Amino acid sequence: MSKDIPDNATANAALTTLREASRKDHLPWQVRHVDEIDWETIRWPGETGKMLFHPRPENPTEPNAGILRLEPGAWHPEHYHGFAQVWYVLKGEFTIGGKRCTPGSMLFHPDPHFEGEFHTESGGEILIVQYPGPTTGERPIYAGRFDMEERKAVADERVDL
């Protein structure tokens, strides 16, 4: 059966598969707790993060997924990403691409996209999940962005990838 079938209940009910419910050749699910991970310096002013999952050599398609903690006054300029991402505001108020986002706001950034200019006066926390772009195939970047020893000046950061 073609994978280009409509995504609706009737079409899904007609799907057939050779998969068994508990195949032993699938990778196991993983769980991490936010308290098990240290806060790391992120490239933009006033941002730290706990990436509970991120791409690594043994699992290069793992998403960047974790919590961003933003200090009052944190900000970043508009910049490009070839991967996709979803954000969920947990605490605080943010202006993202000119739109006010409060707790309970969810943002979807398709691939490719320009992430809008970002500001917060209150500070807060955002749950983020960045994943390989289904259109571009570009992967999220962890190393050198979420695990920095020392933050560079914003003017020295690339905004084109």
Side-chain angles (χ1 to χ4, degrees):
M1 184 172 267
S2 170
K3 291 190 181 243
D4 297 326
I5 61 172
D7 184 19
N8 60 52
T10 302
N12 287 338
L15 291 174
T16 59
T17 182
L18 299 177
R19 291 187 297 264
E20 296 176 25
S22 294
R23 285 195 39 188
K24 305 299 182 214
D25 61 344
H26 288 199
L27 296 173
W29 59 276
Q30 300 172 42
V31 62
R32 295 193 179 103
H33 192 278
V34 70
D35 293 341
E36 298 169 354
I37 308 294
D38 293 328
W39 290 104
E40 295 182 297
T41 300
I42 297 178
R43 67 185 182 148
W44 304 119
E47 293 187 23
T48 54
K50 289 190 178 198
M51 290 298 105
L52 282 75
F53 297 96
H54 59 81
R56 36 188 123 229
E58 64 275 15
N59 195 355
T61 61
E62 189 169 287
N64 274 337
I67 307 294
L68 296 183
R69 182 176 62 188
L70 301 115
E71 299 170 7
W75 69 281
H76 68 240
E78 179 180 83
H79 57 282
Y80 169 87
H81 290 307
F83 52 81
Q85 56 182 333
V86 174
W87 295 0
Y88 183 78
V89 177
L90 299 168
K91 300 177 188 173
E93 293 185 8
F94 305 91
T95 302
I96 304 169
K99 183 165 177 64
R100 184 171 169 261
C101 298
T102 58
S105 298
M106 181 174 273
L107 295 83
F108 168 62
H109 299 90
D111 72 307
H113 68 275
F114 280 92
E115 191 174 301
E117 187 173 330
F118 176 104
H119 295 275
T120 179
E121 295 305 317
S122 66
E125 293 182 357
I126 301 174
L127 169 72
I128 70 164
V129 178
Q130 301 174 329
Y131 53 96
T135 304
T136 65
E138 292 185 37
R139 295 179 178 166
I141 301 168
Y142 171 79
R145 288 199 180 170
F146 288 93
D147 62 346
M148 301 180 80
E149 292 291 324
E150 187 175 316
R151 186 176 287 125
K152 296 187 244 178
V154 172
D156 294 334
E157 280 290 349
R158 293 191 62 180
V159 295
D160 61 335
L161 54 93

